[in-house]
Amino acid sequence: MQFLCIAKRVVVNEWNSNGNVYSKIRDRKPKSCYTWKEIITGKEDAMNLIFHIDVNSAYLSWSAIERLKLDPSLDLRTIPAIIGGDEKSRHGVVLAKSIPAKKYGVRTGEPVASALRKCPFLHIEPPSHTLYSQRSRELMELLHTYTSDIEQVSIDECYMDYTPISHRFASAQLAARSIADRVRNELGFTVNIGIAPNKLLAKMASDFEKPDRVHTLFPDEIPQKMWPLPVSELFMVGHSSAERLAQLGIRTIGELAATDPEFLQVHFKSHGKMMWEFANGIDESTLDPDSHEAKGIGNSTTLSQDISSAQDAKRILLSLSEQVAVRLRKSHQLARTVTVEIKYSDFHSCSRQTQLSSPSSLSSVLYPCSCRLFEELWNGSPIRLLGVRTSKLVSEDTPIQLSLFDDGFLTEDEHKHKQNQHHSGRDFAPSCSRTDPEKQKRLEEAMDQIRKRYGRDAVVRGSLLKKSR
């Protein structure tokens, strides 16, 4: 008999006389521990849950959306299609495949020539990594409107901590469904979301039936949902390991979970122990927000209705600026450049940027500069999307050399404008904040702590509150 502690519960693996494994779940019964049925119906009490968000056939989906703009009759997702390689030379490998292509046996990673032998009329779309980076950024910006507790692990997948936003939703499952629906409606592609008490199980759950699905994988669901799967489906079990396990008579994840871990270590060394732990749902890794070195931090929002008022636009810019500032401070970085993006109702996009004379992570700096950029950029047409982005990031402890003309946080453009106004004898009215930077920093950090403890809506600027009718 083996006792495995998973998410404050005890999974008891027992073997009968035939050597078959069966599982029981025994609760330690702390107040924060609930069954999976209680969790998905909203009766959980501060139990830590992780979402794994994975774009369905990312490269193909993103290319399909772009292709539809040129030819509305051709959706790559509905025909045998792949991303990658060159159709004429037949060189390269398959980077992504459509579901219809999968039915012909086409596999990701195989040579294009091999894929064409399986499906001679296969449509080949060249990859566009610039496009994929843009779509990935849009997804992350949308997800960061919920929480900054996000760990992006690749261009098309990330982990999100559900705990900070749990008070906003009736249940974790409803929250995940709401996020997935918003991604589909605003960005045009679909995601799978796995819900579990740790990263491993969340990732395994997101790989269940696709596309556009939400799945749970709680400890008491492991025997039914995970153990019957082929061992090759387990995270971190590659093709070579799966073949060696098969030679040892281990073909399912359940059989791997029931194997003596010492036996696995003899054959696979430390990797054997890890495979055994993963097969039993054990993963002690923690979510590490912003673990990758960000080249830029930004947020954007697609509006539920087009807006034509500068006042309404600036209220949105204030909210976006605050979200970006919080993310900058959380990642301990300062931004040197601020960019504002506008997408009009006809889907035409434009952007403008400016450089701050002193890097900052304060919304009191980002917001006024965003407003000035918006005023220079907006042509008066109805607006569908607004975005605020920062770049040229530096560590918050980087020594900053102030300009001789530094009056707080003037942008370089404002320095020039100020000098022109001075020479003409007129007063200069800066658009950026002149509040004491240290005092403003302490204020915004205090707001961060309040929101972290009580939720993002615990502190709201009066200008963001909806006017009562």
Side-chain angles (χ1 to χ4, degrees):
M1 180 184 297
Q2 293 177 343
F3 294 84
L4 307 177
C5 179
I6 304 178
K8 299 182 180 179
R9 310 192 71 202
V10 177
V11 179
V12 183
N13 288 344
E14 297 182 356
W15 289 265
N16 59 23
S17 58
N18 296 325
N20 296 323
V21 66
Y22 62 96
S23 176
K24 296 180 181 179
I25 306 295
R26 296 178 185 170
D27 286 340
R28 293 181 177 179
K29 288 298 181 184
K31 291 182 179 180
S32 61
C33 189
Y34 287 80
T35 68
W36 71 270
K37 291 182 180 178
E38 292 172 316
I39 290 169
I40 64 173
T41 54
K43 297 179 182 178
E44 70 271 27
D45 178 19
M47 180 179 182
N48 291 332
L49 292 177
I50 301 295
F51 288 179
H52 181 258
I53 304 171
D54 190 15
V55 180
N56 299 136
S57 302
Y59 287 179
L60 189 117
S61 294
W62 292 334
S63 290
I65 294 169
E66 200 67 16
R67 185 65 183 245
L68 283 170
K69 296 177 182 178
L70 303 175
D71 183 2
S73 66
L74 179 61
D75 188 339
L76 300 178
R77 294 167 290 189
T78 63
I79 64 172
I82 62 170
I83 303 297
D86 182 271
E87 188 170 14
K88 292 182 179 179
S89 67
R90 300 169 68 91
H91 289 162
V93 298
V94 177
L95 299 178
K97 62 186 181 299
S98 65
I99 292 177
K102 184 179 180 180
K103 294 178 180 178
Y104 285 88
V106 175
R107 294 180 293 104
T108 300
E110 74 172 313
V112 170
S114 172
L116 285 169
R117 284 194 293 270
K118 297 175 181 177
C119 182
F121 49 88
L122 192 66
H123 178 94
I124 301 177
E125 189 76 9
S128 173
H129 295 289
T130 300
L131 170 68
Y132 304 152
S133 296
Q134 179 185 349
R135 292 289 177 262
S136 176
R137 175 175 54 77
E138 290 172 353
L139 173 63
M140 293 305 132
E141 289 179 359
L142 183 149
L143 296 178
H144 272 92
T145 63
Y146 293 93
T147 177
S148 57
D149 292 318
I150 293 173
E151 178 184 346
Q152 184 175 3
V153 290
S154 71
I155 195 169
D156 62 346
E157 62 176 322
C158 69
Y159 295 98
M160 173 189 285
D161 188 353
Y162 170 67
T163 309
I165 63 172
S166 59
H167 66 283
R168 297 168 53 188
F169 298 94
S171 71
Q173 198 170 35
L174 289 176
R177 185 67 264 168
S178 174
I179 292 171
D181 289 346
R182 186 178 168 200
V183 171
R184 183 186 64 249
N185 296 334
E186 294 189 14
L187 301 182
F189 53 87
T190 62
V191 298
N192 264 37
I193 301 182
I195 306 171
N198 63 40
K199 291 166 65 176
L200 165 74
L201 294 179
K203 181 172 179 62
M204 292 296 297
S206 69
D207 279 337
F208 293 158
E209 186 182 0
K210 300 178 180 182
D212 198 21
R213 297 298 180 93
V214 171
H215 298 285
T216 62
L217 186 53
F218 294 103
D220 45 359
E221 295 180 298
I222 291 175
Q224 293 75 36
K225 289 187 175 182
M226 192 171 83
W227 282 352
L229 298 175
V231 73
S232 57
E233 299 274 324
L234 183 64
F235 180 56
M236 294 300 290
V237 175
H239 180 70
S240 176
S241 295
E243 284 190 343
R244 290 177 61 194
L245 287 168
Q247 292 171 1
L248 296 171
I250 302 170
R251 292 177 173 81
T252 69
I253 297 177
E255 290 172 344
L256 178 60
T259 303
D260 186 340
E262 293 184 2
F263 171 80
L264 293 171
Q265 283 187 279
V266 170
H267 290 273
F268 297 91
K269 299 184 179 179
S270 60
H271 187 62
K273 179 183 178 183
M274 184 196 68
M275 290 191 297
W276 180 85
E277 289 178 343
F278 282 8
N280 282 286
I282 301 172
D283 176 24
E284 298 180 355
S285 64
T286 58
L287 189 144
D288 185 11
D290 297 316
S291 59
H292 62 293
E293 183 179 351
K295 294 182 179 179
I297 289 177
N299 273 41
S300 64
T301 181
T302 301
L303 309 173
S304 56
Q305 292 183 334
D306 296 342
I307 60 172
S308 302
S309 162
Q311 183 178 5
D312 290 340
K314 289 181 179 179
R315 289 178 68 249
I316 295 167
L317 289 174
L318 175 56
S319 177
L320 293 172
S321 298
E322 288 197 326
Q323 294 171 34
V324 173
V326 169
R327 291 178 59 195
L328 283 168
R329 291 192 292 273
K330 187 164 186 126
S331 63
H332 305 289
Q333 297 187 92
L334 306 174
R336 184 95 186 191
T337 299
V338 180
T339 302
V340 166
E341 176 188 8
I342 299 175
K343 181 182 289 185
Y344 295 109
S345 56
D346 62 359
F347 292 95
H348 173 70
S349 298
C350 56
S351 62
R352 179 162 295 185
Q353 69 178 33
T354 190
Q355 187 161 309
L356 300 171
S357 63
S358 297
S360 177
S361 62
L362 301 179
S363 61
S364 59
V365 174
L366 304 183
Y367 171 60
C369 295
S370 298
C371 287
R372 183 175 61 80
L373 290 170
F374 170 79
E375 291 168 354
E376 296 173 356
L377 189 60
W378 186 40
N379 65 10
S381 300
I383 300 170
R384 174 180 174 81
L385 174 145
L386 278 172
V388 173
R389 193 173 309 114
T390 58
S391 55
K392 295 187 178 179
L393 306 185
V394 297
S395 173
E396 65 180 4
D397 57 6
T398 299
I400 303 300
Q401 183 176 355
L402 299 178
S403 165
L404 289 173
F405 303 99
D406 220 3
D407 290 332
F409 290 94
L410 293 178
T411 67
E412 292 188 351
D413 290 343
E414 284 182 326
H415 277 311
K416 296 176 183 177
H417 185 49
K418 176 181 178 180
Q419 291 173 337
N420 292 336
Q421 295 287 64
H422 175 73
H423 291 313
S424 64
R426 290 177 290 176
D427 293 331
F428 171 70
S431 63
C432 292
S433 171
R434 293 294 164 259
T435 307
D436 178 1
E438 282 303 317
K439 183 182 293 185
Q440 187 65 32
K441 181 182 178 182
R442 289 195 297 271
L443 172 62
E444 296 197 17
E445 287 176 344
M447 293 169 65
D448 291 346
Q449 292 302 313
I450 294 172
R451 287 168 172 156
K452 182 177 181 180
R453 183 170 182 178
Y454 299 105
R456 199 178 73 180
D457 299 331
V459 182
V460 181
R461 292 182 185 267
S463 56
L464 293 178
L465 295 173
K466 293 183 179 178
K467 295 181 179 179
S468 58
R469 297 183 180 178

